[in-house]
């Protein structure tokens, strides 16, 4: 099954609860929450208080993408705020395995993320322990950037590894995904699709979500 994880970074921050209700109603599966610290990435966004405030308003899976240095320091706080999936950048972590185990011991799903310059192979040692891997297809930090096609072979190699080992690890892709290129990423093997501006900059957010879901159905039918 292919899932949509709209990225709240592109939403209207003055109408967050309303926007989230709209994507939930339209059938989105996850809510992608981009946390930035102004150090690991040049931008700052929001943190645990915003996630905790939104939690009672939504049943969506909170897919938390932590673009912060030494994210292991904050795992418990994000778990308490209501994150369901906690994605850490492998480049920002001192001991990824210890971090994964900590996330799981708190009853949450663990993800590791790679930047465009990090090879897929950096994740191989952790795949058996991970619920999800996230391949960045833009430099993390900002929404609305152009998709980097050189990231597709990384998705293919991860999908092949997951399939060969019979794992259930989800493969997520994030950055520059639109209705024009979404089939390329699903055919490469990604099954959780992040879309920020393509959903929240649309005239109707609900309509944009439904168009993505339709594209998923047709890409599955082709396989
Ligand atoms: C970038 C974020 C992405 C971003 C996606 O650092 O991790 O999740 O919000 O936005 P689009 O889909 O507009 O590239
Ligand atoms: Zn993200």
């Amino acid at each position: 099954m292919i899932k949509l994880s709209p990225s709240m970074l592109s939403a209207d921050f003055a109408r967050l609860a309303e926007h989230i209700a709209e994507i939930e109603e339209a059938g989105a599966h996850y809510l992608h929450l981009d946390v930035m610290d102004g150090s690991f990435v040049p931008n700052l966004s929001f943190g645990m208080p915003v996630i905790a405030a939104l939690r009672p308003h939504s049943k969506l899976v909170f897919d938390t993408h932590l673009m912060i240095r030494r994210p292991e320091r904050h795992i418990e706080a994000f778990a308490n705020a209501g994150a369901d999936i906690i994605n850490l950048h492998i480049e920002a972590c001192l001991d990824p395995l210890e971090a994964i185990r900590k996330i799981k011991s708190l009853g949450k799903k663990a993800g590791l993320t790679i930047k465009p310059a990090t090879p897929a192979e950096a994740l191989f040692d952790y795949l058996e322990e991970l619920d999800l891997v996230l391949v960045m297809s833009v430099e993390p930090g900002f929404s609305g950037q152009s998709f980097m096609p050189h990231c597709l072979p990384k998705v293919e190699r991860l999908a092949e590894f997951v399939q060969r080992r019979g794992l259930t690890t989800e493969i997520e892709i994030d950055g520059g995904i639109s209705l024009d290129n979404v089939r390329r990423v699903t055919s490469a093997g990604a099954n959780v699709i992040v879309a920020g501006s393509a959903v929240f900059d649309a005239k109707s957010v609900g309509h944009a979500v439904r168009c993505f879901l339709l594209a998923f159905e047709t890409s599955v039918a082709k396989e």
Side-chain angles (χ1 to χ4, degrees):
M1 182 192 187
I2 305 174
K3 298 173 182 166
L4 183 66
S5 189
S7 162
M8 200 182 83
L9 194 62
S10 298
D12 177 351
F13 276 29
R15 297 171 48 217
L16 282 183
E18 202 183 308
H19 260 172
I20 292 167
E22 230 173 315
I23 60 159
E24 192 162 357
E25 163 83 26
H29 307 88
Y30 293 175
L31 176 67
H32 188 80
L33 296 156
D34 288 303
V35 177
M36 302 181 184
D37 66 353
S39 170
F40 181 69
V41 289
N43 200 3
L44 277 167
S45 57
F46 52 83
M48 311 80 162
V50 172
I51 296 173
L54 292 170
R55 187 66 282 185
H57 296 279
S58 174
K59 290 196 169 55
L60 287 167
V61 171
F62 278 14
D63 167 27
T64 323
H65 175 194
L66 303 187
M67 286 161 273
I68 61 180
R69 264 187 218 293
R70 300 282 320 280
E72 51 272 58
R73 293 174 296 170
H74 302 291
I75 289 171
E76 210 156 341
F78 281 102
N80 291 337
D84 297 298
I85 303 170
I86 302 182
N87 278 318
L88 313 178
H89 268 268
I90 195 167
E91 306 88 354
C93 253
L94 279 187
D95 186 341
L97 198 55
E98 195 182 305
I100 294 167
R101 291 189 174 148
K102 172 131 197 223
I103 295 170
K104 290 180 136 186
S105 74
L106 295 165
K108 305 296 177 182
K109 292 196 167 169
L112 271 186
T113 307
I114 50 171
K115 297 210 277 186
T118 307
E121 289 69 19
L123 295 171
F124 283 5
D125 282 349
Y126 306 103
L127 271 170
E128 307 221 352
E129 305 260 353
L130 285 169
D131 296 291
L132 182 143
V133 287
L134 169 52
V135 175
M136 288 306 298
S137 42
V138 298
E139 278 307 329
F142 300 91
S143 60
Q145 303 180 72
S146 300
F147 179 73
M148 295 172 149
H150 80 262
C151 297
L152 282 176
K154 296 204 277 184
V155 171
E156 282 164 7
R157 292 203 294 282
L158 285 162
E160 198 196 328
F161 188 98
V162 164
Q163 203 186 11
R164 201 165 0 107
R165 301 280 172 106
L167 304 175
T168 53
T169 322
E170 296 193 312
I171 302 176
E172 181 171 30
I173 184 154
D174 178 12
I177 315 233
S178 66
L179 286 165
D180 294 331
N181 60 17
V182 68
R183 282 185 184 81
R184 284 174 75 193
V185 302
T186 53
S187 358
N191 66 338
V192 180
I193 310 301
V194 177
S197 42
V199 167
F200 288 107
D201 288 356
K203 239 190 244 151
S204 159
V205 167
H207 179 71
V209 167
R210 286 189 291 274
C211 288
F212 269 101
L213 300 184
L214 204 65
F216 296 167
E217 275 176 34
T218 49
S219 34
V220 169
K222 262 193 227 152
E223 276 162 16

